[in-house]
Amino acid sequence: KAGVTQTPRYLIKTRGQQVTLSCSPISGHRSVSWYQQTPGQGLQFLFEYFSETQRNKGNFPGRFSGRQFSNSRSEMNVSTLELGDSALYLCASSGTSGSLYEQYFGPGTRLTVT
Amino acid sequence: DAKTTQPTSMDCAEGRAANLPCNHSTISGNEYVYWYRQIHSQGPQYIIHGLKNNETNEMASLIITEDRKSSTLILPHATLRDTAVYYCIVRVRDSGYALNFGKGTSLLVTP
């Protein structure tokens, strides 16, 4: 079974630009969560989508948004990029049977804002 | 979710058992203990979880004290590939998928 995939793996953007990251969950998984990881703040929860609806949201500004499509693939968007948005963005998916409550993470997208 | 306390770092010799402690003294009766690990530059990996009984799988064992205020993750025969940051997370199982990772324990396995 293929794992969680994230594209692109690396990205360099300039302050003020916007960016869209993509996540494809494990086949059959309906929940997708997003996390931001920085050296200073560690792993922080951004938001979770289930069946195209945002179910949980972390404490991030409105510049961070996401969506989920009917095939469970998810995208997250960051508008008006700031230097502090440089981070590893991780996506995780969860299934509906067996390991229902365990999350499986992708390799992440490394975003650098200059 | 209950707060957890883990040592910042630990060392372990290759081939020996690595015992990683976690304190969760404010855990509630319906909260589970989960362990994840993150190898450098990779996404976190689920290891094991438990409620009150000890659990074992192909990766590790989880020992939870009788009062549930602390637990220990045991890697029975640590290898160099087990060098990672290990996160102990306490949460209600059906509370959604937002995980509070905390700082974790950086485990260094040495030859």
Side-chain angles (χ1 to χ4, degrees):
Chain A
K1 202 183 230 186
V4 177
T5 58
Q6 293 186 246
T7 57
R9 292 293 312 280
Y10 302 91
L11 202 51
I12 300 175
K13 289 286 189 178
T14 305
R15 271 181 301 176
Q17 288 186 315
Q18 75 166 17
V19 67
T20 299
L21 311 181
S22 181
C23 172
S24 292
I26 291 172
S27 178
H29 284 193
R30 293 167 62 192
S31 168
V32 174
S33 299
W34 288 89
Y35 293 80
Q36 180 197 64
Q37 185 170 30
T38 60
Q41 299 298 319
L43 268 162
Q44 293 186 289
F45 171 75
L46 278 157
F47 29 65
E48 179 216 349
Y49 287 87
F50 183 85
S51 294
E52 302 179 65
T53 301
Q54 187 179 86
R55 193 159 64 170
N56 286 295
K57 189 176 189 304
N59 188 26
F60 278 81
R63 299 186 296 108
F64 292 81
S65 63
R67 59 177 176 169
Q68 186 180 34
F69 302 96
S70 59
N71 61 359
S72 294
R73 190 177 71 84
S74 177
E75 289 181 347
M76 69 162 281
N77 184 78
V78 187
S79 63
T80 318
L81 284 166
E82 301 176 359
L83 295 179
D85 298 332
S86 294
L88 179 66
Y89 290 88
L90 292 156
C91 163
S93 75
S94 297
T96 57
S97 64
S99 56
L100 174 61
Y101 300 102
E102 290 69 62
Q103 292 193 311
Y104 297 86
F105 285 80
T109 294
R110 174 75 61 184
L111 171 65
T112 301
V113 181
T114 62
Chain B
D1 296 340
K3 180 180 169 60
T4 62
T5 304
Q6 298 178 253
T8 302
S9 63
M10 294 181 65
D11 293 344
C12 177
E14 189 177 22
R16 306 296 293 267
N19 297 287
L20 292 92
C22 179
N23 182 286
H24 33 78
S25 58
T26 60
I27 192 170
S28 302
N30 63 345
E31 287 183 310
Y32 286 71
V33 179
Y34 285 77
W35 284 83
Y36 283 77
R37 74 180 182 183
Q38 186 175 24
I39 296 170
H40 183 62
S41 297
Q42 298 182 21
Q45 176 189 25
Y46 164 79
I47 301 173
I48 198 168
H49 75 277
L51 181 62
K52 54 184 178 181
N53 297 320
N54 297 338
E55 303 287 345
T56 296
N57 63 20
E58 65 279 3
M59 288 184 67
S61 294
L62 174 60
I63 308 298
I64 302 174
T65 58
E66 192 169 343
D67 63 8
R68 302 186 69 238
K69 293 185 177 182
S70 66
S71 60
T72 301
L73 177 75
I74 301 173
L75 307 178
H77 305 288
T79 70
L80 299 179
R81 287 174 293 184
D82 291 322
T83 292
V85 178
Y86 288 78
Y87 298 95
C88 170
I89 302 166
V90 173
R91 59 187 292 270
V92 177
R93 194 177 186 191
D94 57 357
S95 60
Y97 296 105
L99 298 179
N100 180 5
F101 278 86
K103 300 294 185 185
T105 295
S106 180
L107 174 68
L108 175 64
V109 180
T110 56

